[in-house]
């Protein structure tokens, strides 16, 4: 290509200059056009990857660490660094994700309501939980979840299913402890046991 450009430039005439521009434009025409092209890599090392939708809006972030969450357009700091995957709505607000948290020896996989968690799978060093929550109360600050209505847990060998009321009070508890002893409890709104089996 260099010899072709040298020959064209050495000749006189405006059409020769036009030919030079055309030769330069041909390879440049494809620059920036990636639609339809697939790139394949054996390995990629980076701290953040942002996946966007057809309109170019960020919808998923893979990061180590993840960016701070946005709720209703406002950014809030995380209590500790989190690595994993962040889910975003069309406005860029966090709607859940997978958080790997070194300080707790595990992490959480959650789907959020508008301002706080709605469903979470959580694993710590020696425990595991599944929690289903009510939507946050009207006017509740960002990050403050609604009442936990169902919690399924294994904690240091004790397994339980707890049903809560809309005020966040435990009302029904099914459990089997690490000694394989099973029990059922019913509680009133003040936390008093009104049924216990076995007695």
């Amino acid at each position: 290509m260099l010899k072709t450009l040298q020959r064209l430039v050495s000749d006189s005439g405006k059409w020769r200059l036009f030919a030079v521009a055309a030769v330069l434009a041909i390879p440049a025409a494809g620059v920036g056009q990636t639609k339809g092209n697939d790139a394949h890599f054996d390995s990629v090392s980076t701290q953040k990857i942002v996946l966007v939708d057809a309109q170019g809006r960020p919808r998923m972030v893979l990061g180590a660490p993840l960016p701070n969450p946005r709720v209703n357009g406002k950014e809030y700091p995380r209590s500790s660094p989190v690595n994993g995957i962040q889910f975003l709505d069309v406005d860029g607000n966090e709607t859940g994700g997978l958080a790997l948290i070194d300080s707790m020896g595990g992490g959480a996989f959650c789907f959020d309501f508008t301002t706080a968690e709605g469903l979470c799978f959580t694993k710590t060093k020696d425990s595991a939980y599944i929690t289903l929550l009510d939507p946050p109360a009207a006017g509740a600050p960002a990050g403050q979840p609604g009442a936990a209505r169902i919690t399924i847990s294994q904690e240091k060998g004790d397994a339980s299913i707890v049903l809560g009321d809309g005020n966040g009070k435990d009302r029904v508890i099914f459990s089997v402890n690490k000694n394989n002893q099973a029990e059922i409890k019913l509680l009133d709104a003040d936390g008093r046991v009104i049924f216990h089996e076995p007695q």
Side-chain angles (χ1 to χ4, degrees):
M1 180 176 173
L2 180 59
K3 290 183 178 180
T4 302
L5 291 176
Q6 288 173 338
R7 178 172 53 81
L8 290 172
V9 171
S10 64
D11 294 332
S12 60
K14 292 183 179 180
W15 72 273
R16 298 292 186 187
L17 293 177
F18 175 78
V20 171
V23 170
L24 291 174
I26 290 172
V31 173
Q33 295 181 3
T34 58
K35 185 174 279 189
N37 295 333
D38 292 326
H40 299 275
F41 302 93
D42 292 328
S43 176
V44 175
S45 296
T46 184
Q47 284 192 294
K48 186 169 75 170
I49 296 174
V50 179
L51 303 181
V52 300
D53 62 18
Q55 286 71 44
R57 298 171 297 202
R59 301 304 301 270
M60 189 180 298
V61 178
L62 286 72
L66 286 173
N68 288 328
R70 288 180 58 199
V71 178
N72 292 330
K74 182 179 179 181
E75 183 176 312
Y76 292 86
R78 297 189 187 278
S79 56
S80 61
V82 171
N83 305 315
I85 304 171
Q86 180 185 50
F87 303 148
L88 305 170
D89 66 13
V90 294
D91 298 315
N93 299 306
E94 184 173 284
T95 61
L98 171 64
L100 306 177
I101 308 169
D102 295 336
S103 61
M104 65 185 283
F109 180 44
C110 297
F111 292 95
D112 299 346
F113 290 115
T114 304
T115 59
E117 293 83 3
L119 166 64
C120 282
F121 300 80
T122 306
K123 182 263 176 188
T124 65
K125 184 178 180 180
D126 50 18
S127 305
Y129 304 85
I130 301 175
T131 309
L132 289 79
L133 305 104
D134 275 343
Q144 181 175 307
R149 301 307 301 273
I150 304 173
T151 302
I152 303 172
S153 67
Q154 177 286 120
E155 186 171 5
K156 298 180 180 179
D158 295 331
S160 67
I161 299 175
V162 179
L163 307 181
D165 62 21
N167 295 317
K169 303 288 187 178
D170 295 346
R171 302 300 296 273
V172 182
I173 302 173
F174 303 94
S175 65
V176 178
N177 65 23
K178 58 188 174 184
N179 298 317
N180 299 322
Q181 297 169 326
E183 67 176 1
I184 300 173
K185 289 182 182 178
L186 302 182
L187 301 92
D188 65 15
D190 295 319
R192 292 186 294 263
V193 177
I194 56 178
F195 176 84
H196 187 193
E197 187 63 41
Q199 297 293 332

